[in-house]
Amino acid sequence: MMTSLCFISVFLFVFPSFASAALLFQGFNWESCNKAGGWYNFLQNSVSDIANAGVTHVWLPPPSQSVDVAPQGYLPGRLYDIDASKYGSQAELKSLIDAFHQRVSSGTSDDRLDWGPSFICKDDTDYSDGTGNPDTGLNYPPAPDIDHLDPRVQKELSDWMNWLKTEIGFDGWRFDYVIGYAPSIAKIYMDQTSPDFAVGEKWEDLSLGQNEDSHRGALKDWVQAAGGVVKAFDFTTKGVLNAAVQGELFRLKDSNGKPPGMIGLLPQNAVTFIDNHDTGSTQNKWPFPSDKVMQGYAYILTHPGVPSIFYDHFFDFGLKDEITKLVVIRNRNGINTSSSVNILASDSDLYMASIDDKIIMKIGPKMDLGNLVPSNYQLATSGNNYAVWEKK
């Protein structure tokens, strides 16, 4: 029977309770599965550093057995087989989750899933026997497109997800490749598992100067069609910011005077990020300019949305202290998913904004700021081409 699948790919988080505004940390990269001694054991050594940075949610890699060509876990087969993961054993995973729950906050095989050709979408002719429902999204060539309209598939996947919550300790989900299935499918699993937090990966092409509005509009539409509770990674902000820090900071203001990404439309459902295991790391599919990474964090950690910190930047780039300072300022001033943004300047070499009338931030090489920083503000932190002020 066929067990390797391309499905909703619920890849996962450890969630403490919310002591402050949500802050996500991606706790792995593309090479973490190759870590000697296991990634779960290795990450135990970093729990305190991550907690001290003010992180509220930690995103962990896919935990189940995966086919040999995908040791990172993104082509899972035996979903309940946690011991076969390249990141470590089930016991090591539970130990790591317990450590996060305790330290990050005070309170975030049988025939199941053994689906044959009749449980594959009928238009996936490489794997299906033609009796399943049509695919509700785009095809994913490396693996079968599971028929999520099938009641047994829905029940068994929901049972597995709830098992991950009750038995392993996870509290929420990352929905991978959401263009591969209808948003109504994500809503089904949201309704049947009630995660504390969930975010979807809707990564589509972005053409600067042409489709920013439709690009972020599609993110907003997906969130709403999926029930309005799930969040989405703000790929629009990612793409605009990538270009903006390279002498095009004027891009950070849309025609209505607001941020140009999803945070300018539906900030409470937007998860902002600089890089992840796909865009950066060794895959490097869409990397942020490496010498301007802190300008990126100065932007997302002062703006609305749920910011996400990437493991590589925090540890491997040596930016832990600088990033942590920005998080402290964010939390001290109560900047959150729905904070207001008043853009003060958006030129090629300077972007400045006031957030909630509590802090002012700038990125870009321009040093002559004129009268944009009032006398009742004082410098809170600064670095290479970025600075943040807060009221005295």
Side-chain angles (χ1 to χ4, degrees):
M1 296 290 285
M2 189 179 303
T3 56
S4 181
L5 56 140
C6 171
F7 70 112
I8 199 165
S9 298
V10 273
F11 302 145
L12 304 156
F13 300 81
V14 184
F15 293 97
S17 64
F18 299 93
S20 57
L23 176 64
L24 178 63
F25 185 93
Q26 181 174 351
F28 66 99
N29 60 33
W30 195 247
E31 301 300 325
S32 297
C33 60
N34 299 317
K35 188 67 177 178
W39 185 253
Y40 298 146
N41 288 333
F42 175 77
L43 198 58
Q44 285 267 13
N45 300 321
S46 301
V47 170
S48 292
D49 284 335
I50 295 169
N52 291 338
V55 169
T56 62
H57 302 68
V58 180
W59 169 14
L60 296 179
S64 299
Q65 176 269 346
S66 184
V67 298
D68 290 343
V69 297
Q72 294 83 7
Y74 288 90
L75 291 179
R78 301 187 302 272
L79 297 188
Y80 284 89
D81 189 355
I82 307 297
D83 282 323
S85 168
K86 296 299 184 181
Y87 298 101
S89 68
Q90 178 171 319
E92 290 164 350
L93 173 58
K94 293 181 72 171
S95 176
L96 176 62
I97 290 174
D98 287 344
F100 275 122
H101 277 153
Q102 293 170 16
R103 182 65 181 84
V104 175
S105 79
S106 56
T108 202
S109 188
D110 52 25
D111 70 344
R112 291 175 298 179
L113 305 159
D114 191 8
W115 302 316
S118 64
F119 293 91
I120 308 302
C121 295
K122 67 192 307 181
D123 33 9
D124 189 352
T125 56
D126 288 339
Y127 299 99
S128 174
D129 64 5
T131 62
N133 290 292
D135 198 345
T136 62
L138 297 182
N139 184 37
Y140 185 73
D145 284 336
I146 296 302
D147 179 7
H148 288 286
L149 297 179
D150 186 284
R152 176 179 164 183
V153 170
Q154 293 177 10
K155 181 182 185 304
E156 293 187 357
L157 272 180
S158 297
D159 287 347
W160 172 66
M161 294 164 76
N162 284 317
W163 175 80
L164 288 172
K165 290 174 63 180
T166 58
E167 295 298 322
I168 306 301
F170 286 108
D171 301 284
W173 322 122
R174 169 187 179 258
F175 293 99
D176 192 38
Y177 195 69
V178 301
I179 59 176
Y181 45 92
S184 58
I185 300 298
K187 184 179 186 301
I188 289 171
Y189 295 114
M190 289 289 293
D191 291 344
Q192 293 184 0
T193 64
S194 301
D196 289 337
F197 185 100
V199 59
E201 180 210 41
K202 183 178 173 62
W203 185 358
E204 296 177 303
D205 289 342
L206 172 65
S207 298
L208 292 176
Q210 298 180 36
N211 73 335
E212 289 101 323
D213 283 343
S214 61
H215 192 270
R216 63 177 176 171
L219 292 173
K220 176 176 177 283
D221 292 345
W222 179 84
V223 164
Q224 293 176 334
V229 177
V230 65
K231 303 182 189 301
F233 284 110
D234 190 350
F235 279 94
T236 315
T237 290
K238 155 69 173 171
V240 174
L241 195 56
N242 262 33
V245 296
Q246 300 182 82
E248 301 178 358
L249 290 168
F250 58 85
R251 294 189 181 277
L252 295 177
K253 182 179 180 180
D254 71 9
S255 59
N256 296 313
K258 295 183 177 181
M262 186 183 177
I263 59 172
L265 286 182
L266 196 66
Q268 62 270 30
N269 290 85
V271 176
T272 55
F273 67 103
I274 304 305
D275 268 325
N276 60 30
H277 61 292
D278 289 322
T279 66
S281 190
T282 54
Q283 293 204 93
N284 229 32
K285 293 179 179 179
W286 197 20
F288 201 84
S290 59
D291 60 334
K292 297 176 175 64
V293 165
M294 278 309 303
Q295 290 187 61
Y297 281 109
Y299 183 88
I300 68 170
L301 289 172
T302 57
H303 280 59
V306 177
S308 179
I309 301 168
F310 187 34
Y311 179 94
D312 289 15
H313 295 155
F314 194 76
F315 289 110
D316 297 343
F317 280 44
L319 300 177
K320 178 179 68 175
D321 292 342
E322 287 186 82
I323 290 174
T324 300
K325 287 178 182 178
L326 289 169
V327 175
V328 169
I329 295 167
R330 180 181 183 86
N331 290 339
R332 185 164 61 219
N333 289 279
I335 308 303
N336 55 58
T337 57
S338 57
S339 289
S340 63
V341 178
N342 177 24
I343 298 175
L344 305 174
S346 56
D347 303 319
S348 296
D349 56 355
L350 176 66
Y351 172 84
M352 290 188 69
S354 170
I355 296 86
D356 285 346
D357 197 30
K358 294 179 178 178
I359 65 172
I360 294 175
M361 61 78 64
K362 68 89 71 172
I363 56 176
K366 186 174 181 178
M367 301 301 293
D368 182 4
L369 307 181
N371 299 318
L372 292 177
V373 180
S375 59
N376 62 330
Y377 279 76
Q378 62 185 359
L379 185 67
T381 190
S382 64
N384 185 24
N385 291 332
Y386 76 90
V388 181
W389 298 261
E390 56 189 350
K391 283 186 174 179
K392 295 178 180 177

